[in-house]
């Protein structure tokens, strides 16, 4: 692994236009991913993880807008034309979706999917080379050549997911975003897919962003972890350090609500993530935070480096000189509404 970032995200914002106003799905996110590095992106559903993944690749749906920077190969992906983006996708940037059947064409054989992908991005390849590359990639995913001419519906869910991964990696992308790649798969297939992703970064130096709500997967597979809440990255650092000593109350609560061998009682975080149409003032986690103070309900926390490679957005870590007098007083639950109205 090198320290050179393959992609540098700076102050990325993604908004969805709705009749009731803009939804701030990603709000000022910065993140680097180096070659051969796996970064886990975690958080509850609705916190903006998938939107961030798509925003990095410039793959946003109609009605979404973005600003900020996603620097890849010295160029800003934000603001690229659809034609420029299409050229980058495949050989440079890849995406593995959660549900393979939405991406595989049920009327096309697996071999046709590969032919289409390779011909689009490497038009000089002949049929023989296309077949060789496709079978080699499928073989690495444990799909035998005898299945090459079959249709998607002839495969199990786990095999379809591996085919999707093979299609994403046949062009050996430098950056791969995997959005819940193992959701709804059994643990054996899940382990196979995680080992395939680990091979990818080892063999090709692929930078990988692994979006998941499964902290166990992150602990096993990721070098670093970024914790996302209500459109912001609230904590980021080496996965091991964050798991052993979480700095943000939301990370602590997420870890407490994960089942492990030591779990005797299942914890759930009270409340739910806020609507991103009108998020709470100050720290967006304050209505649910067990450590909330008065300053949290009125003022956005400032990002603080707590180590060379760790950062956190939480007033518990200061800076103290930016907290107004009386701001560290505990915020009682019943005071939250009053503070928000003030
Ligand atoms: Fe809790 Fe305040 Fe930190 Fe937000 S800033 S996580 S409310 S202590």
């Amino acid at each position: 692994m090198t320290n050179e970032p393959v992609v540098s995200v700076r102050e990325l914002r993604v908004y969805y236009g709705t009749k009731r106003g803009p939804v701030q799905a990603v709000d000022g996110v910065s993140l680097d991913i180096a070659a051969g590095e796996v970064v886990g992106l975690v958080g509850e559903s609705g916190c903006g993880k998938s939107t961030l993944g798509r925003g990095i690749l410039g793959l946003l749906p109609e009605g979404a807008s973005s600003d900020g920077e996603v620097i890849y190969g010295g160029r800003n992906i934000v603001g690229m034309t659809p034609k420029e983006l299409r050229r980058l996708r495949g050989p440079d940037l890849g995406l593995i979706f959660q549900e393979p059947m939405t991406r595989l064409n049920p009327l096309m054989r697996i071999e046709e999917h590969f032919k289409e992908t390779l011909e689009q991005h490497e038009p000089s390849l002949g049929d023989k080379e296309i077949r060789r590359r496709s079978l080699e990639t499928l073989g690495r995913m444990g799909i035998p050549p005898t299945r090459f001419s079959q249709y998607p519906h002839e495969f199990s869910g786990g095999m379809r997911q591996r085919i999707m991964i093979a299609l994403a990696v046949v062009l050996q992308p430098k950056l791969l975003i995997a959005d819940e790649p193992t959701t709804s798969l059994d643990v054996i297939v899940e382990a196979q897919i995680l080992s395939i992703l680990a091979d990818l970064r080892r063999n090709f130096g692929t930078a990988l962003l692994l979006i998941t709500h499964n902290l166990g997967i992150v602990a096993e597979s990721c070098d670093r972890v970024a914790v996302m809440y209500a459109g912001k990255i609230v904590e980021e650092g080496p996965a091991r350090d964050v798991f052993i000593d979480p700095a943000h109350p939301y990370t602590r609560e997420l870890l407490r609500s994960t089942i492990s061998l030591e779990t005797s009682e299942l914890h759930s975080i009270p409340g739910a993530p806020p609507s991103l149409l009108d998020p709470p003032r100050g720290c967006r986690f304050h209505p649910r935070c067990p450590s909330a103070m008065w300053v949290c309900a009125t003022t956005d926390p400032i990002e603080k480096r707590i180590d060379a490679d760790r950062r956190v957005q939480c007033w518990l870590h200061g800076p103290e000189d930016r907290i107004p007098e009386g701001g560290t007083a505990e915020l009682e639950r019943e005071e939250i509404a009053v503070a928000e109205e003030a």
Side-chain angles (χ1 to χ4, degrees):
M1 190 178 91
T2 72
N3 289 323
E4 194 59 32
V6 170
V7 69
S8 285
V9 181
R10 290 290 173 270
E11 288 295 315
L12 181 67
R13 289 186 164 73
V14 180
Y15 295 90
Y16 292 113
T18 73
K19 282 185 188 148
R20 290 165 57 211
V23 170
Q24 308 169 18
V26 172
D27 194 7
V29 162
S30 298
L31 186 69
D32 285 349
I33 310 176
E37 185 177 46
V38 183
V39 176
L41 182 62
V42 301
E44 292 161 288
S45 301
C47 284
K49 305 189 298 295
S50 294
T51 301
L52 174 57
R54 281 157 193 274
I56 291 174
L57 297 182
L59 256 182
L60 293 169
E62 217 173 295
S65 58
S66 60
D67 62 63
E69 288 185 341
V70 176
I71 303 297
Y72 174 85
R75 298 174 65 201
N76 189 3
I77 287 178
V78 176
M80 274 190 182
T81 63
K83 196 173 164 196
E84 288 173 310
L85 283 169
R86 263 199 304 280
R87 229 179 275 140
L88 279 182
R89 275 187 218 121
D92 290 272
L93 316 172
L95 175 66
I96 298 171
F97 292 88
Q98 202 176 117
E99 181 33 71
M101 267 326 254
T102 58
R103 304 305 298 172
L104 294 173
N105 184 336
L107 302 176
M108 277 166 64
R109 297 172 193 274
I110 299 310
E111 59 183 313
E112 293 169 298
H113 283 87
F114 278 91
K115 197 167 166 21
E116 187 181 79
T117 302
L118 283 163
E119 275 178 351
Q120 190 183 348
H121 295 287
E122 296 189 36
S124 61
L125 285 184
D127 283 353
K128 216 167 146 191
E129 182 59 11
I130 287 178
R131 188 177 168 82
R132 190 196 65 74
R133 285 261 296 270
S134 311
L135 289 176
E136 185 191 285
T137 312
L138 276 171
R140 279 210 304 273
M141 307 294 155
I143 311 278
T146 48
R147 315 280 314 255
F148 198 39
S149 56
Q150 290 185 316
Y151 289 94
H153 73 266
E154 296 179 86
F155 293 87
S156 66
M159 282 181 125
R160 283 199 290 263
Q161 188 62 312
R162 280 181 274 158
I163 291 167
M164 269 286 303
I165 297 175
L167 277 167
V169 305
V170 69
L171 297 161
Q172 297 168 9
K174 294 181 183 67
L175 171 68
L176 187 61
I177 297 190
D179 190 358
E180 302 276 7
T182 60
T183 300
S184 76
L185 299 178
D186 66 54
V187 286
I188 294 172
V189 179
E190 177 179 284
Q192 285 169 342
I193 286 174
L194 292 176
S195 119
I196 288 165
L197 294 177
D199 283 352
L200 263 183
R201 60 110 154 235
R202 228 185 346 260
N203 298 336
F204 303 115
T206 304
L208 179 65
L209 180 68
L210 185 60
I211 300 173
T212 179
H213 60 268
N214 187 330
L215 297 180
I217 287 181
V218 176
E220 253 174 61
S221 322
C222 296
D223 302 302
R224 285 189 299 130
V225 61
V227 183
M228 199 159 177
Y229 186 77
K232 293 176 181 284
I233 289 182
V234 294
E235 176 162 12
E236 195 235 315
R240 193 183 148 78
D241 297 353
V242 171
F243 284 173
I244 290 175
D245 184 20
H248 196 282
Y250 179 60
T251 314
R252 275 202 285 276
E253 293 290 301
L254 266 186
L255 287 168
R256 281 183 68 206
S257 54
T258 300
I259 301 173
S260 73
L261 287 176
E262 288 86 45
T263 305
S264 55
E265 199 180 321
L266 189 58
H267 173 76
S268 67
I269 310 175
S275 156
L276 295 177
L277 199 57
D278 183 24
R281 267 179 77 196
C283 170
R284 293 178 175 185
F285 187 54
H286 84 257
R288 306 171 75 192
C289 179
S291 313
M293 305 175 286
W294 263 98
V295 64
C296 310
T298 55
T299 316
D300 283 1
I302 294 166
E303 184 171 290
K304 179 114 189 276
R305 286 232 162 248
I306 52 170
D307 218 333
D309 50 7
R310 284 190 73 177
R311 57 187 171 123
V312 64
Q313 279 186 15
C314 171
W315 283 116
L316 290 176
H317 298 272
E320 279 157 29
D321 59 352
R322 301 288 289 275
I323 301 177
E325 211 183 312
T328 55
E330 193 182 330
L331 187 68
E332 302 292 341
R333 297 290 98 192
E334 56 275 15
E335 289 174 327
I336 286 175
V338 178
E340 289 203 316
E341 276 161 23

